[in-house]
Amino acid sequence: DVKVTQSSRYLVKRTGEKVFLECVQDMDHENMFWYRQDPGLGLRLIYFSYDVKMKEKGDIPEGYSVSREKKERFSLILESASTNQTSMYLCASKLMNTEAFFGQGTRLTVV
Amino acid sequence: GESVGLHLPTLSVQEGDNSIINCAYSNSASDYFIWYKQESGKGPQFIIDIRSNMDKRQGQRVTVLLNKTVKHLSLQIAATQPGDSAVYFCAENPSSGTYKYIFGTGTRLKVLA
């Protein structure tokens, strides 16, 4: 069974903290993605990576960075968390022209 | 999660009836389409996909129809069950070789007992 695993289901962080969200996939997929999901806005792409150490900005990269040191792991970093980054964060992985597999999501609250 | 569906259009269907969920996509060059199901508090789950060289594809209890003329995609669920209650959204791949999907905002399906 294919698996995309996010390190936390729920996180509460303080404004200004550095936050790491981790994602691991076991399907040997080249492509990995970080999305955020907010009511009424659907999934918005933050960053994606098509290979180890490669990354590209998505539609809303401001305030975020990513790291992909190994093929199976893609990390999202909030350099200085702010309350407007309170959201559901979803990691996904896929091959080219196939369906994306999603993790279970991390609900982040910044207080 | 729970708050994702608060502002979504809602389709209420009696248990056992068929459900039809619609999606208008944006790019006439899109060549691949997917339907996802998202239950409360969980990540999206793949249901069925269809490529642009087809206009219909069937799975177990689900059928996807693609109308390229009007850029419309629909998901039909036969004999809807309580476990089908979720948010459903479509995704399109804008063109072959791209990495990014365009996602719809979704429809909440409520199954009435």
Side-chain angles (χ1 to χ4, degrees):
Chain A
D1 215 10
V2 298
K3 266 287 219 215
V4 178
T5 304
Q6 295 181 226
S7 53
S8 305
R9 289 294 303 273
Y10 299 95
L11 274 179
V12 180
K13 296 291 181 181
R14 295 196 179 278
T15 301
E17 275 194 80
K18 190 168 186 175
V19 182
F20 293 86
L21 303 183
E22 307 284 347
C23 175
V24 177
Q25 51 99 359
D26 65 358
M27 296 165 284
D28 203 35
H29 287 169
E30 292 85 5
N31 306 303
M32 294 188 75
F33 305 80
W34 274 106
Y35 294 91
R36 64 177 282 176
Q37 187 177 35
D38 300 289
L41 297 178
L43 273 74
R44 294 183 291 167
L45 182 63
I46 305 171
Y47 266 96
F48 70 101
S49 168
Y50 52 88
D51 203 349
V52 175
K53 296 193 187 294
M54 306 304 288
K55 60 186 179 186
E56 283 203 25
K57 293 180 181 179
D59 301 315
I60 51 163
E62 296 79 19
Y64 304 94
S65 62
V66 290
S67 172
R68 185 135 181 235
E69 296 297 318
K70 293 185 177 181
K71 191 176 186 179
E72 67 271 17
R73 188 179 296 270
F74 191 36
S75 302
L76 179 70
I77 303 150
L78 286 67
E79 296 291 341
S80 177
S82 63
T83 54
N84 63 11
Q85 292 179 308
T86 291
S87 187
M88 171 74 121
Y89 289 88
L90 289 162
C91 174
S93 74
K94 73 183 195 78
L95 297 169
M96 187 74 75
N97 296 329
T98 64
E99 73 270 28
F101 294 88
F102 285 87
Q104 78 277 27
T106 297
R107 182 161 293 284
L108 172 68
T109 303
V110 183
V111 297
Chain B
E2 294 81 353
S3 64
V4 168
L6 279 179
H7 306 285
L8 296 175
T10 299
L11 174 67
S12 296
V13 174
Q14 207 67 39
E15 183 179 354
D17 286 353
N18 297 336
S19 303
I20 300 176
I21 300 170
N22 297 306
C23 176
Y25 64 91
S26 57
N27 191 327
S28 56
S30 293
D31 62 354
Y32 178 59
F33 305 87
I34 308 167
W35 278 102
Y36 284 95
K37 172 186 181 183
Q38 187 174 21
E39 295 175 272
S40 182
K42 296 185 179 179
Q45 181 184 3
F46 170 82
I47 303 172
I48 192 167
D49 59 359
I50 188 167
R51 300 202 180 271
S52 58
N53 60 352
M54 304 172 71
D55 49 25
K56 180 178 179 179
R57 189 159 190 236
Q58 286 185 288
Q60 190 177 16
R61 277 201 313 118
V62 294
T63 301
V64 55
L65 298 177
L66 175 62
N67 185 331
K68 294 181 283 292
T69 304
V70 296
K71 294 190 287 186
H72 184 267
L73 196 66
S74 70
L75 176 71
Q76 300 178 0
I77 304 172
T80 312
Q81 301 169 359
D84 295 327
S85 292
V87 173
Y88 292 81
F89 55 90
C90 63
E92 62 180 294
N93 190 46
S95 63
S96 181
T98 63
Y99 303 100
K100 300 192 290 183
Y101 293 154
I102 301 172
F103 288 91
T105 51
T107 297
R108 184 179 194 81
L109 177 65
K110 288 178 86 169
V111 181
L112 308 171

